[in-house]
Amino acid sequence: MQHLHRKYLASVVSLAALVIMAGCHKKAAPPPPPPPPTVTAPAPTADITVTPQAINPGDSAVLTWKTTNATDTSIEGVGQVATAGTMNVKPTASTNYHLIARGDGGSTDATARLTVNAPQAPASNLNESDMDDTLFHQNVQDIFYDYDAYEIRPDAQPIISKDAAFLNQHQGIKVVIGGYCDERGSTEYNLSLGENRANAAKQALVNAGVSPDRLRTVSYGKEKQFCTEHTEECWQQNRRAQFGVDR
């Protein structure tokens, strides 16, 4: 009887040892596989230019564009195009050429504007001494700039086209372009900014067909204020390029 009891105890001990050993050697669950690496496609780039930027009715210009990392390229009004190229364009009215480039990394766009000048009337024989200031300013209007900037704003483009059309009708008249700034900033800084504004206005007229020999620039900085109130409306009046007869 004792023999059977010891045998029973030995069996229990052995079974317990096996259970303990199995628990000790239980393998841990393998870690989940790492996520696949994220591949980021480069973003596309786009650039488009037109030369010249202004033409007379009936003339043509060259549109040039290039993109990178693009798989789909189009120009509004033209349609699908190669990712880079050139073409002659001959619009009958001023046109914005809007380039859109799409790729695996997203999309981007760029725009080039071609101005078609108004039809020119026969040139007159008027010169500076013959031109009335009132008549001049009725036909050649000033343009305005954003704060701390000298780029020609989109709303100034049609004014430049109209100004150039009048000046091209009266090619004996020379013009002085004054660059003006608002009251903020140092005198030296505003003289430099006014010079940049006057030169930008001159270049815009040249692009529209006015001979650079007829255009003279001068910077007044913030020294000659059109409006002296300390308001944004007043400051905007002072950020201008003013055109006058250069007598």
Side-chain angles (χ1 to χ4, degrees):
M1 187 67 181
Q2 290 179 351
H3 174 72
L4 291 175
H5 181 69
R6 284 196 297 272
K7 188 175 180 179
Y8 174 74
L9 288 175
S11 298
V12 171
V13 171
S14 298
L15 180 59
L18 288 173
V19 171
I20 293 172
M21 290 177 65
C24 291
H25 291 83
K26 183 178 181 181
K27 294 183 179 179
T38 302
V39 178
T40 303
T45 66
D47 182 64
I48 186 169
T49 60
V50 60
T51 307
Q53 295 178 334
I55 59 174
N56 292 320
D59 293 342
S60 61
V62 178
L63 199 62
T64 302
W65 70 93
K66 61 180 178 181
T67 66
T68 61
N69 307 317
T71 56
D72 180 90
T73 305
S74 62
I75 300 175
E76 290 182 357
V78 176
Q80 296 295 121
V81 295
T83 54
T86 63
M87 70 166 55
N88 290 326
V89 291
K90 191 177 180 180
T92 58
S94 297
T95 302
N96 289 324
Y97 292 97
H98 186 204
L99 171 68
I100 302 174
R102 301 182 180 86
D104 295 336
S107 64
T108 188
D109 62 346
T111 301
R113 178 174 177 78
L114 176 59
T115 299
V116 178
N117 300 322
Q120 296 182 11
S124 73
N125 294 323
L126 291 175
N127 54 36
E128 292 84 7
S129 60
D130 300 323
M131 176 56 65
D132 176 77
D133 283 338
T134 301
L135 175 63
F136 179 85
H137 290 297
Q138 285 176 347
N139 292 276
V140 182
Q141 299 177 358
D142 300 344
I143 60 173
F144 298 88
Y145 296 87
D146 289 332
Y147 172 66
D148 200 26
Y150 56 87
E151 292 80 13
I152 302 297
R153 302 191 321 201
D155 64 351
Q157 293 290 351
I159 298 174
I160 287 290
S161 297
K162 183 180 177 182
D163 292 350
F166 181 81
L167 294 175
N168 286 328
Q169 293 173 18
H170 305 282
Q171 299 189 10
I173 298 173
K174 294 184 178 180
V175 177
V176 58
I177 306 170
Y180 293 81
C181 305
D182 65 36
E183 63 183 356
R184 294 169 290 181
S186 68
T187 297
E188 293 77 12
Y189 178 81
N190 281 300
L191 284 173
S192 176
L193 181 59
E195 181 179 6
N196 288 332
R197 286 174 174 170
N199 286 331
K202 175 182 177 180
Q203 188 59 51
L205 288 176
V206 171
N207 291 339
V210 180
S211 171
D213 297 337
R214 300 170 54 197
L215 306 174
R216 181 171 65 90
T217 61
V218 59
S219 175
Y220 295 104
K222 63 176 183 179
E223 303 308 310
K224 290 188 176 181
Q225 300 283 289
F226 289 86
C227 181
T228 56
E229 296 178 4
H230 308 298
T231 64
E232 176 54 37
E233 292 76 12
C234 197
W235 291 334
Q236 174 63 96
Q237 289 299 310
N238 294 327
R239 299 194 299 263
R240 71 168 66 194
Q242 185 187 44
F243 304 107
V245 179
D246 193 9
R247 294 187 170 87

